[in-house]
Amino acid sequence: MIYFKQLNVVSQGTADKFPLFVRYVKKQENCAAHYHDFVELCIILSGHGKHLLNEKNPAPIYPGDVLVIPRSTVHRFIDVSPDLSLTNILYIPEKLQLPQLDITFHPGFKNLLQGNAGGNSTVPAFHIPGTSWENIIFLEEKLRKESREHLPGYRFNMLGTFMVLLGELARCYMPFSQTVRESNDNITKVTEHIRNNFKKNIPLNKLCSLSGMSKSPLLKHFKDAIGITPLQYQLHLRISEAATLLNTSHGNVSEIAFQCGFTDSNYFSRQFKRITGMSPSEYRKNNLQTEYNPQKRNE
């Protein structure tokens, strides 16, 4: 049984005796300092905030960041944005009995599987490059689905998927540098501006000014951090807003398109179907209450 320890309080977790469990957090809030007796691999899906380890050195976190929290290590999230979402993969390494083969020679694997010893001032932390994001999110979603549905053979499928995910993350592993952090700070300014103004036309030179970068570096760093371009990010925010309005309002498709910043309802319908897999009318008819992540899909 996996247990969660928060200071001196021990409460039973939701996992069964299988030592691997996945938890999706749609809205991560600021939380109290806590620790646990399992390893926690955390993938940041959206939003931003800071991760505080042993009440020291708060480190900024952004979409695509990965943290590995060892056992008995006190940590918490602070200064989080309202849209901070993440996936926690919780496991007890020695009980998984993974056939490690050649992965043991990879310098990042041990850090990913075990984390650092409790009490250290840092934990393994790195960023998933945009080129690997789609594949890793596919594996993360598959792992989460198996953990949630408990279909026959789910333990076997979870273990296999977890091994593939660890292998992919090991290939991405490169500890953060100050240059990457400074770049991400600038990208956060850009993403916040897009989120606050996504219904308007946003000139690229405005984003360049906010980031302090010229066009090419901005596009490169933005895609590395978010997985898509600024224009694609704005489009996905508009589609996300439209999906909400389709489920919560009685406006027709053209009205909703204009409310979300589109000037051509036909273009809106094409983009909505490309991204969600359904036309706006089909989406409304099915009244889907799905989790929508604006960085999961590329054009």
Side-chain angles (χ1 to χ4, degrees), residues 7-284:
L7 300 181
N8 295 321
V9 179
V10 181
S11 60
Q12 184 172 324
T14 55
D16 61 11
K17 292 183 179 180
F18 185 56
L20 175 62
F21 178 68
V22 184
R23 182 181 64 179
Y24 168 69
V25 183
K26 186 174 183 179
K27 186 177 180 180
Q28 175 66 56
E29 299 180 343
N30 292 328
C31 60
H34 63 278
Y35 65 98
H36 29 70
D37 59 356
F38 46 80
V39 178
E40 176 181 342
L41 191 155
C42 178
I43 302 175
I44 308 301
L45 301 175
S46 67
H48 58 89
K50 294 178 181 177
H51 181 247
L52 195 62
L53 189 71
N54 293 321
E55 299 301 298
K56 300 177 182 177
N57 303 324
I61 52 173
Y62 303 95
D65 284 357
V66 178
L67 306 171
V68 186
I69 315 301
R71 286 173 279 203
S72 303
T73 300
V74 177
H75 73 115
R76 63 187 175 113
F77 293 102
I78 62 173
D79 299 339
V80 302
S81 64
D83 58 341
L84 179 62
S85 66
L86 52 89
T87 289
N88 285 325
I89 302 174
L90 317 174
Y91 53 94
I92 302 175
E94 66 274 10
K95 292 186 178 181
L96 289 175
Q97 299 180 344
L98 299 179
Q100 297 179 10
L101 304 174
D102 60 326
I103 194 65
T104 57
F105 297 104
H106 193 287
F109 177 75
K110 185 176 181 180
N111 284 340
L112 283 174
L113 188 62
Q114 300 282 355
N116 292 337
N120 285 355
S121 60
T122 61
V123 299
F126 62 99
H127 186 77
I128 301 169
T131 53
S132 300
W133 176 258
E134 184 175 349
N135 190 34
I136 286 173
I137 290 302
F138 170 80
L139 293 168
E140 173 267 332
E141 289 180 335
K142 179 175 174 58
L143 190 61
R144 194 196 323 165
K145 184 175 186 289
E146 293 289 350
S147 181
R148 180 179 66 247
E149 296 183 354
H150 283 202
L151 298 176
Y154 81 92
R155 293 179 176 88
F156 182 86
N157 285 351
M158 280 187 69
L159 187 59
T161 303
F162 180 63
M163 289 174 61
V164 177
L165 178 61
L166 273 182
E168 291 295 321
L169 289 173
R171 290 174 174 173
C172 298
Y173 181 78
M174 181 178 294
F176 283 132
S177 67
Q178 185 60 30
T179 301
V180 171
R181 281 301 184 199
E182 290 174 355
S183 171
N184 277 339
D185 286 340
N186 292 329
I187 294 304
T188 296
K189 296 176 185 177
V190 174
T191 56
E192 287 180 347
H193 183 77
I194 295 174
R195 283 199 300 270
N196 292 332
N197 300 276
F198 69 89
K199 297 179 183 180
K200 306 174 184 178
N201 290 326
I202 304 176
L204 185 58
N205 60 7
K206 173 63 176 179
L207 302 182
C208 290
S209 176
L210 285 170
S211 67
M213 304 179 196
S214 59
K215 177 181 176 181
S216 294
L218 169 62
L219 294 178
K220 178 184 184 302
H221 288 300
F222 191 96
K223 191 164 186 179
D224 285 344
I226 307 301
I228 51 181
T229 67
L231 183 61
Q232 291 168 337
Y233 185 69
Q234 181 184 19
L235 175 62
H236 284 276
L237 289 173
R238 288 180 174 183
I239 295 298
S240 178
E241 176 71 6
T244 299
L245 292 175
L246 285 167
N247 278 339
T248 59
S249 76
H250 299 289
N252 62 42
V253 171
S254 294
E255 290 171 342
I256 288 174
F258 294 139
Q259 286 180 50
C260 295
F262 293 92
T263 57
D264 184 334
S265 60
N266 290 326
Y267 173 77
F268 161 70
S269 295
R270 290 196 303 271
Q271 294 303 315
F272 191 96
K273 185 169 186 178
R274 182 183 66 79
I275 292 172
T276 68
M278 289 173 283
S279 68
S281 57
E282 289 171 336
Y283 188 91
R284 170 172 272 173

